[in-house]
Amino acid sequence: MTVRFAPGDKVRVRLAYPPGHVRTPFYIRGKSGSIERMCGSFRNPEELAYARSGEPHRPLYRVRFRQQDVWPDYSGAPADTIDVEIFAHWLEPA
Amino acid sequence: MSNAPGDHEHGHAHDHGHEHGHRHPPQADHDDRLTYYKVMEIAVRELLIEKGHITADEVRAAIEAMDARSPATGAKVVARAWTDPAFKTHLLADGTAACRSMGIDMGPTRLVVVENTPEVHNMVVCTLCSCYPRFLLGLPPLWYKSRAYRSRAVREPRVVLSEFGTHLADNVTVRVHDSTADMRYLVLPMRPAGTDGMDEAALAALVSRDSMIGVSLPRRP
């Protein structure tokens, strides 16, 4: 699978609720941020958890979100961020 | 396995120096309840041993090795980064390879090292479970695995930090790292003031576990 995003690209996390072993936390679904780095490619945990191969490898990104974009009533400083590792198939261009 | 709590009323001060003729409920054991997954673990382990795939001693040795890891390893890495600029550059660029160069083999684990500066403070959490850089820090503390820490570290990190006694100015950016997939995170704390003449071993003694999770700062000399 080709790498689709570069550092700095704006992305949005898919707002979806599939069943199973999903490593995309609920709180970050539907939120927008920017690519912090490409982490590499890894076997898909959503398949691995059920004793399947997890192939092909999926690109994994660290995505940086502004806390104020994640929590509308965030009490900290406006520049505060949260970084989350998210697989490419959970990301779309924003 | 059953306890008999509440056998009697505790209406008096206890003095365990003498027999007083009634039973005390035993303190609950950590393993007093067999959950579904505990039963499954025992069943699978016993089957693997019975069929000769692994031995009981191998299981024991693996647990012993896990328990033997400690934050002292992470502290050595931090102290090296504080004293060796080339190592620090390597550590921030490729944490796994830099640790390997110190003889710390992390297996397939990918390490991301995040650096605290006067402008940025980093803090690590795993909201989904308890992912933690065990090769460098040993087993995670119980609070790291608690639902309260896992949910509040992302929701109100500055409040959580203040509960750990870490008060940051508003102009310091707080960066939380949620360890959701294949990366593991180590915070590289700032070297404390007044440590100029100290060697690596003395510096490592200042590096606490919590400062490498990012909920605290290193000790002062």
Side-chain angles (χ1 to χ4, degrees):
Chain A
M1 186 175 283
T2 53
V3 176
R4 289 186 295 174
F5 301 110
D9 283 359
K10 303 288 177 211
V11 291
R12 184 169 48 244
V13 184
R14 281 172 46 219
L15 189 61
Y17 301 95
H21 182 77
V22 173
R23 302 297 303 181
T24 305
F26 276 70
Y27 73 87
I28 215 67
R29 297 183 196 181
K31 306 295 183 187
S32 296
S34 55
I35 300 291
E36 192 270 342
R37 77 177 72 172
M38 163 89 174
C39 298
S41 288
F42 298 89
R43 293 196 287 166
N44 184 1
E46 294 163 29
E47 298 288 321
L48 272 180
Y50 301 96
R52 295 192 283 261
S53 74
E55 301 289 352
H57 280 50
R58 306 284 184 120
L60 177 69
Y61 296 95
R62 291 183 72 219
V63 184
R64 179 162 293 171
F65 302 85
R66 293 171 64 236
Q67 287 278 30
Q68 289 190 333
D69 292 339
V70 179
W71 317 106
D73 60 346
Y74 182 68
S75 59
D80 289 359
T81 61
I82 171 121
D83 289 10
V84 187
E85 291 159 47
I86 302 176
F87 279 94
H89 60 279
W90 273 91
L91 296 173
E92 51 197 23
Chain B
M1 298 293 292
S2 88
N3 298 333
D7 273 354
H8 69 285
E9 297 285 322
H10 275 215
H12 61 101
H14 282 236
D15 177 0
H16 289 271
H18 68 273
E19 294 292 326
H20 49 192
H22 62 217
R23 294 167 57 210
H24 287 258
Q27 184 177 332
D29 288 333
H30 290 299
D31 58 350
D32 66 349
R33 209 168 297 151
L34 277 178
T35 63
Y36 175 85
Y37 290 105
K38 282 178 182 168
V39 172
M40 185 192 278
E41 183 274 323
I42 293 166
V44 171
R45 171 162 45 85
E46 288 183 349
L47 267 173
L48 286 169
I49 291 169
E50 200 176 303
K51 289 178 179 290
H53 294 289
I54 56 173
T55 66
D57 190 55
E58 284 170 347
V59 175
R60 180 208 58 73
I63 293 168
E64 187 176 41
M66 268 188 265
D67 285 347
R69 294 180 195 143
S70 89
T73 308
K76 277 183 199 162
V77 173
V78 169
R80 175 72 56 89
W82 282 349
T83 53
D84 180 342
F87 177 78
K88 178 179 158 183
T89 304
H90 191 196
L91 186 68
L92 293 172
D94 185 341
T96 312
C99 286
R100 200 180 299 123
S101 76
M102 283 183 72
I104 304 162
D105 183 11
M106 290 192 283
T109 304
R110 304 280 196 101
L111 182 71
V112 174
V113 178
V114 287
E115 182 187 17
N116 283 353
T117 68
E119 293 81 33
V120 174
H121 182 89
N122 296 280
M123 176 179 174
V124 180
V125 62
C126 172
T127 58
L128 297 177
C129 45
S130 57
C131 295
Y132 189 75
R134 294 171 184 228
F135 285 87
L136 295 173
L137 301 186
L139 294 172
L142 286 177
W143 56 258
Y144 185 84
K145 301 191 276 188
S146 71
R147 194 168 285 270
Y149 180 76
R150 286 160 46 215
S151 53
R152 295 182 59 226
V154 291
R155 184 73 181 83
E156 45 181 14
R158 286 174 185 266
V159 181
V160 173
L161 285 169
S162 72
E163 289 170 13
F164 279 100
T166 304
H167 304 279
L168 300 173
D170 280 348
N171 61 357
V172 176
T173 296
V174 172
R175 285 199 181 136
V176 179
H177 303 270
D178 189 356
S179 193
T180 47
D182 293 79
M183 305 292 114
R184 296 295 176 269
Y185 295 88
L186 183 80
V187 174
L188 174 58
M190 277 190 287
R191 180 170 173 164
T195 58
D196 284 355
M198 293 174 69
D199 64 14
E200 256 183 74
L203 287 168
L206 303 177
V207 184
S208 64
R209 174 195 70 194
D210 290 356
S211 72
M212 293 182 280
I213 302 173
V215 295
S216 184
L217 305 177
R219 301 179 189 98
R220 293 188 163 275

